Amino acid sequence: PGIPALLADILLMLSFQTPLKKTNSLIAQMGITFTNAYVPSALCCPSRASILTGKYPHNHHVVNNTLEGNCSSKLWQKIQEPYTFPAVLKAACGYQTFFAGKYLNEYGAEDAGGVGHVPPGWSFWYALEKNSKYYNYTLSVNGKARRHGENYSVDYLTDVLANMSLDFLEYKSNFEPFFMMIATPAPHSPWTPAPQYTKSFQNVSAPRNSNFNIHGKNKHWLIRQAKTPMSNSSIQFLDDAYRKRWQTLLSVDDLIEKLVKKLEVNGELDNTYIFYTSDNGFHTGQFSLPIDKRQLYEFDIKVPLLVRGPGIKPNQTNKMLVANIDLGPTILDIAGYDLNKTQMDGMSLLPLLRGDKNVTWRSDFLVEYQGEGYNGSDPTCPGLGPGVTHCFPDCVCEDSYNNTYACVRTLSASWDLQYCEFDDREVFVEVYNLTADPHQINNIAKTIDQEILEKMNYRLMMLQSCSGATCRTPGVFDPGYRFDPRLMFSNHGLRARRFSAQFL
């Protein structure tokens, strides 16, 4: 079968429906919507690395968006790229493979081989040099640099990716199965919409949920430092950004419509799986943080996941806890590859897609992030001291070197819970009961039952050191879970090692 995978850095599920009406009609209504889909790290490069490898960040070792953080580095190229699921699809399953769009943020860096580097596993390679742009960018076309300017009709990146994808579907071999990965930067900044969409959604503003523009008084210091209430200029900025993001998604919606129609014309639509997802969420004013990601909360780690294809009944929703580390195993499973031959941490979604009964599934997964920052002070916010980064004019900083945390996100019949620990001087803990508090306003770390706290702490240490099959062992609220509190003390060093030299 064909397997196009569509990747866009888009908004959360509730926001996603309005700008992407065609996507909703052509994929969600014709297939399955996963309502509890997450990323193990709410940042582009680590999250994309998890998609490609099927691994948690502590196993693929991409910790942030920098070369030093292993984003598209020579080490990544040597140790991880040969074993990504597209490499396996091409080498072991005989697939012709196509990539178009944003790969990893530092792809094309001179210190990592430039745009001449084409990762193993791709028959056709059209990758954006470095981070998101809409005009004035360079593509690596099978290892050769192709420069684009600012003429909408020939340079607007979302449309260029659509046209390249349609060309592939037109001229590919009909004697081999195919896999496509189309990774639109939209709606990533700089949020440049196509000219015909610049007037769309004029009355749209960022959602005003109960956690909008309030002080995160019981959260870790990076959240507590946000100024509340936000300035009028910050609110206007985040509303404008939200509106422009929606506008850029209209071109993504057009791309999806063109691809589905082309597959239908080719007679391949009924034999093709189509996945639509994102590499992270995004916040716009929650807890008075103007705009960014990188945080542990639902608005940053929860993403859409829509799938249509053979054997998938239309108009379904699925509440199982799934993560982007599951995409690689799923696609290899569809292709008939033996997953026992991989080192992937994720699980195949294929039984869920087919509606198999009595499927044993996870009740928790790991979220982990290593903060970016440097020893110097941000020149716009010297009063905050060294280590902060991504600061706004009002001196609200979105990241820091010790914005380093790990969480267990649990969803079971008993609990909808998140437990997080920070690697900072406070050794700060945040715990949320999302059944009672879906917007994560009240940190219950000091009031939750001590036994649950201890079990979650132990489970976190186990997940932080897991690899492959051990990442899929029973969670705290699974019947098969076994807890020996004595092991908490003998294994307590695991968490500290996770944040140090283990990576690089």
Side-chain angles (χ1 to χ4, degrees):
I3 315 172
L6 303 164
L7 177 67
D9 178 15
I10 72 171
L11 312 178
L12 295 185
M13 184 64 68
L14 292 176
S15 302
F16 135 88
Q17 299 293 351
T18 299
L20 292 170
K21 292 182 178 179
K22 299 171 186 176
T23 303
N24 184 48
S25 173
L26 294 170
I27 303 181
Q29 292 180 17
M30 298 304 295
I32 189 167
T33 298
F34 287 92
T35 56
N36 290 300
Y38 291 86
V39 295
S41 188
L43 187 62
C44 317
C45 204
S47 184
R48 288 165 184 260
S50 286
I51 291 172
L52 291 163
T53 62
K55 297 177 180 179
Y56 283 120
H58 71 264
N59 287 328
H60 61 59
H61 310 303
V62 178
V63 298
N64 56 43
N65 285 345
T66 66
L67 271 180
E68 295 76 17
N70 211 23
C71 180
S72 207
S73 68
K74 290 259 179 111
L75 187 65
W76 156 266
Q77 294 171 15
K78 179 180 178 181
I79 297 177
Q80 300 297 335
E81 275 188 343
Y83 307 102
T84 61
F85 79 83
V88 177
L89 273 181
K90 186 173 187 293
C93 305
Y95 273 67
Q96 51 190 322
T97 56
F98 169 94
F99 181 87
K102 177 181 172 181
Y103 179 56
L104 301 178
N105 297 55
E106 286 293 327
Y107 172 75
E110 289 186 14
D111 291 345
V115 295
H117 171 69
V118 177
W122 298 104
S123 313
F124 302 90
W125 178 252
Y126 302 95
L128 178 67
E129 179 188 35
K130 296 202 173 179
N131 207 352
S132 305
K133 291 185 177 180
Y134 296 79
Y135 295 107
N136 297 312
Y137 55 86
T138 296
L139 290 178
S140 171
V141 180
N142 297 318
K144 303 291 184 182
R146 179 184 295 174
R147 180 71 183 166
H148 281 262
E150 49 188 312
N151 181 341
Y152 168 71
S153 63
V154 294
D155 296 318
Y156 188 69
L157 181 57
T158 308
D159 293 348
V160 169
L161 299 180
N163 292 335
M164 288 175 167
S165 303
L166 294 173
D167 285 346
F168 170 74
L169 290 175
E170 178 69 24
Y171 298 112
K172 66 176 174 61
S173 167
N174 291 324
F175 301 102
E176 298 172 309
F178 71 92
F179 170 75
M180 305 174 69
M181 188 170 187
I182 306 158
T184 67
H188 198 286
S189 62
W191 316 303
T192 309
Q196 67 270 30
Y197 296 134
T198 56
K199 301 298 182 184
S200 301
F201 307 121
Q202 289 301 302
N203 296 322
V204 166
S205 57
R208 265 53 170 179
N209 293 328
S210 57
N211 56 8
F212 180 83
N213 200 15
I214 66 170
H215 186 244
K217 59 183 178 180
N218 54 6
K219 293 172 169 50
H220 68 101
W221 78 268
L222 188 63
I223 306 300
R224 297 197 302 266
Q225 58 88 34
K227 292 178 173 58
T228 307
M230 291 184 288
S231 67
N232 290 337
S233 59
S234 287
I235 293 175
Q236 181 177 348
F237 180 77
L238 67 87
D239 279 338
D240 288 344
Y242 191 88
R243 188 178 307 113
K244 289 175 183 176
R245 286 165 66 83
W246 275 31
Q247 292 169 353
T248 66
L249 283 172
L250 292 175
S251 294
V252 176
D253 213 28
D254 292 340
L255 178 155
I256 290 165
E257 180 184 43
K258 293 172 185 175
L259 286 174
V260 172
K261 285 185 175 180
K262 183 63 175 175
L263 288 167
E264 188 171 28
V265 168
N266 287 358
E268 297 174 313
L269 182 58
D270 291 340
N271 197 37
T272 300
Y273 289 90
I274 303 175
F275 295 75
Y276 186 94
T277 191
S278 168
D279 54 359
N280 53 254
F282 205 69
H283 57 257
T284 46
Q286 290 89 346
F287 305 127
S288 300
L289 299 173
I291 58 165
D292 199 52
K293 43 224 177 185
R294 308 166 199 268
Q295 302 303 327
L296 57 90
Y297 309 104
E298 293 285 285
F299 43 74
D300 282 2
I301 64 172
K302 196 170 187 179
V303 294
L305 177 58
L306 316 174
V307 191
R308 67 170 287 174
I312 302 176
K313 295 178 181 179
N315 240 347
Q316 293 186 78
T317 58
N318 187 293
K319 297 181 180 179
M320 294 294 193
L321 193 60
V322 302
N324 69 6
I325 56 172
D326 300 330
L327 295 173
T330 303
I331 291 169
L332 290 179
D333 198 10
I334 289 171
Y337 189 76
D338 181 1
L339 297 180
N340 291 323
K341 295 180 179 179
T342 76
Q343 299 297 315
M344 294 182 174
D345 303 332
M347 305 170 66
S348 172
L349 301 174
L350 193 54
L352 302 183
L353 298 178
R354 290 175 171 168
D356 293 353
K357 304 298 182 183
N358 300 319
V359 176
T360 300
W361 201 253
R362 69 161 68 88
S363 65
D364 64 15
F365 77 100
L366 176 68
V367 180
E368 50 189 351
Y369 178 66
Q370 183 165 308
E372 290 183 61
Y374 50 91
N375 289 332
S377 298
D378 189 294
T380 62
C381 304
L384 290 175
V388 295
T389 185
H390 296 83
C391 298
F392 280 80
D394 296 325
C395 282
V396 177
C397 298
E398 296 279 3
D399 205 5
S400 70
Y401 72 93
N402 66 347
N403 181 36
T404 296
Y405 57 81
C407 308
V408 179
R409 180 69 177 88
T410 289
L411 184 62
S412 69
S414 310
W415 285 93
D416 189 356
L417 188 71
Q418 187 172 15
Y419 172 92
C420 302
E421 294 183 9
F422 280 80
D423 184 40
D424 59 16
R425 291 179 181 177
E426 294 181 287
V427 193
F428 200 78
V429 175
E430 296 189 31
V431 182
Y432 298 98
N433 178 357
L434 283 93
T435 302
D437 180 23
H439 294 131
Q440 296 170 291
I441 294 170
N442 299 309
N443 178 5
I444 60 171
K446 295 181 179 179
T447 58
I448 193 171
D449 183 88
Q450 185 66 24
E451 182 181 355
I452 293 177
L453 207 63
E454 290 177 357
K455 286 183 176 180
M456 295 300 288
N457 170 266
Y458 177 65
R459 178 62 175 161
L460 178 60
M461 289 190 289
M462 295 300 99
L463 284 174
Q464 284 183 268
S465 60
C466 77
S467 179
T470 59
C471 297
R472 304 188 290 273
T473 54
V476 169
F477 298 103
D478 289 331
Y481 180 76
R482 296 292 179 266
F483 172 59
D484 183 348
R486 294 171 297 178
L487 295 177
M488 291 179 62
F489 302 99
S490 62
N491 286 287
H492 208 271
L494 290 171
R495 181 170 64 253
R497 289 199 296 274
R498 146 74 176 87
F499 295 120
S500 59
Q502 175 183 336
F503 279 110
L504 301 173

